[in-house]
Amino acid sequence: MRQFELKRKDSNWLVVFDNTDYLDDLPRFFARSPSGSVIVTSRDPLARGEGFASKEVRLECFDKTEGIDFMLSFLDPTLCQEMCEKQSLDRLVDIFAGLPLGLTVATRIMRSKYYSPTTFLKIFRQAAEDIDSAKVLGTSKTLRTLWDVSLRATTKDTKELLEKLTLLDPAMIPFKMFESSEAEQSSESSLEAIRKFHNALESLSSQSLVTVDGAKQSISIHRYFQDVMFRKLIERNERYDAIMDMTLGLLRKACPPASFQSHISPEHWKVRRQYASHTEFIQKRSEHRIPTQSSHLLVDLLSDTVFTLIKDFPSYYYETGQYDQAIAAKDKLETVIKSNAIQANPMTLALLYFTYGNMCNECNETKNGIASFRKAIDLLEPENGGSSQRKIGQNLAAIYSSLGNSLNGLERFEESEKCHHKAIELILRINDPPTKSLGRLYSNLGSCLLWKGELNEAESVLLTSLLKYDRKLGCSLYALGNVYLAQGKMGKGLDLHIETLEVFSADFGIFHPNTADSLYKVGSLYARTDNPKHSLAEAE
């Protein structure tokens, strides 16, 4: 390079450093003449940040249109005229996630074997490994071995991280999943785990095996590369079991646990939304084989997903009417349990039936809801004793109270009232009973008495809920407002519904169904001509 520099000092020149993995070696080869240019190609996305380039050109995979056009440029046009063939090309671009080499190999196989896109797609679905083994034109590499050079120099920790990533939704995998919460205590072991994770992440990123978004603190992995690595992983059953077990444990730790006590938990929405796709993705991966030691973790995670879909995203289902999606998730969980002969924890199954029962209440499928709550009770009542009595007692109380709400829908008020009293009794047996739980239980009892027409009793119970246990409990405010309206106390009823609206807006946001219902209630009260504060402008 120095001889070149002396000879070409005054002429324009171009030097290309191709496929540069070791960036630290470059500076000593740089020419000092200002009249030339340097191109550096590297898989390391930090190359520009090292000061080696004033401009960066990042090579991306094809988008859908580019991928289809690329494949069509190699194929016989007569094979691709039917709509089904175009749809197959569309699907193939998805499968290879726009990877040019993958699409090149696919089109070469189609041309050499005279496959139409639809025929090739069917064969690929049945024998993806055969496609992985097809050679890339002009090289001895296959799609299966394409990344071997990059993987050869990786450490044990790096390979383990990559294997975990093959079980997760390839887009937007949060750092936090791998950064143990124990690190907040600055324990040496947890800080060491974080250090190993970031070292492994640096190694994968420097080989362009993953893409890192520092601003969003997330990782993404190319879908086709992920599938190839997963197919390698499942060939080794013991290793697959170990990685599945570790990854399920990470997800379990990252996701806030579902609960019988919190019907709607806005504080958990963001985190659950972040991990819902990963839970669904690992469930699909687990269909290959669920390790015995991981079965309970998978069931718990899927139960959380069902709970999240039904209880923590009600606005989504109210707005789009996709209750079927929640029911499908519940059915999928039951199928996983049955097909794998899993002895699910009674608490997990009870939570599943409890959640499904609450959804039935929302869908006016009252009889199904009652049946589901009774299944949950049958699972937990035999367990109500010993060291777990406090937790199981609280959970049974929540189930009995929800069962009472279902019975209201069939106007079986006597049975409903008994259920609500049973729920309160279960909580009061506990030393230092949780006040918020009691507030909600008294609120449900008060609503039962309101539906039953016992207005004075309902008022007394709801005031107990608010003044003794939780003054800002929206459901109690709403029910008490309705009691006052039934008693002809329009002013007090309106004031409570306005307060309810403020509570719901603060807790759930303005787009939540509870808030929408409260808005409608307040607006309809302002529109009533018997209201001393009658105002069509306010109603509107």
Side-chain angles (χ1 to χ4, degrees), residues 331-361:
D331 291 343
K332 182 185 292 183
L333 177 55
E334 289 188 317
T335 301
V336 169
I337 292 170
K338 292 174 183 175
S339 62
N340 293 279
I342 296 170
Q343 295 298 314
N345 186 308
M347 194 79 78
T348 298
L349 280 178
L351 176 60
L352 173 66
Y353 291 126
F354 171 73
T355 305
Y356 180 62
N358 280 320
M359 194 196 72
C360 288
N361 283 350

Side-chain angles (χ1 to χ4, degrees), residues 25-87:
D25 294 337
L26 286 184
R28 62 196 182 99
F29 294 111
F30 278 7
R32 288 182 286 272
S33 170
S35 59
S37 298
V38 176
I39 293 177
V40 178
T41 70
S42 175
R43 286 171 291 192
D44 191 340
L46 298 179
R48 183 183 177 187
E50 298 293 334
F52 298 132
S54 59
K55 294 182 180 180
E56 175 186 48
V57 177
R58 188 176 291 272
L59 299 181
E60 305 288 353
C61 292
F62 291 137
D63 63 24
K64 184 65 68 67
T65 302
E66 291 170 337
I68 292 173
D69 289 345
F70 177 76
M71 296 185 81
L72 286 172
S73 69
F74 290 97
L75 297 174
D76 183 344
T78 59
L79 291 176
C80 306
Q81 291 177 352
E82 299 292 333
M83 180 57 69
C84 64
E85 302 300 341
K86 293 177 181 177
Q87 289 172 342

Side-chain angles (χ1 to χ4, degrees), residues 37 43 53 76 181 212 266 296 302 388 490 495 535:
S37 298
R43 286 171 291 192
D76 183 344
S181 59
V212 177
H296 68 284
L302 291 177
S388 301
M490 175 64 72
D495 289 343
S535 170

Side-chain angles (χ1 to χ4, degrees), residues 510-528:
I510 60 173
F511 298 110
H512 193 277
N514 287 0
T515 309
D517 180 58
S518 186
L519 273 166
Y520 176 80
K521 187 76 175 184
V522 172
S524 64
L525 291 176
Y526 272 122
R528 285 175 56 167

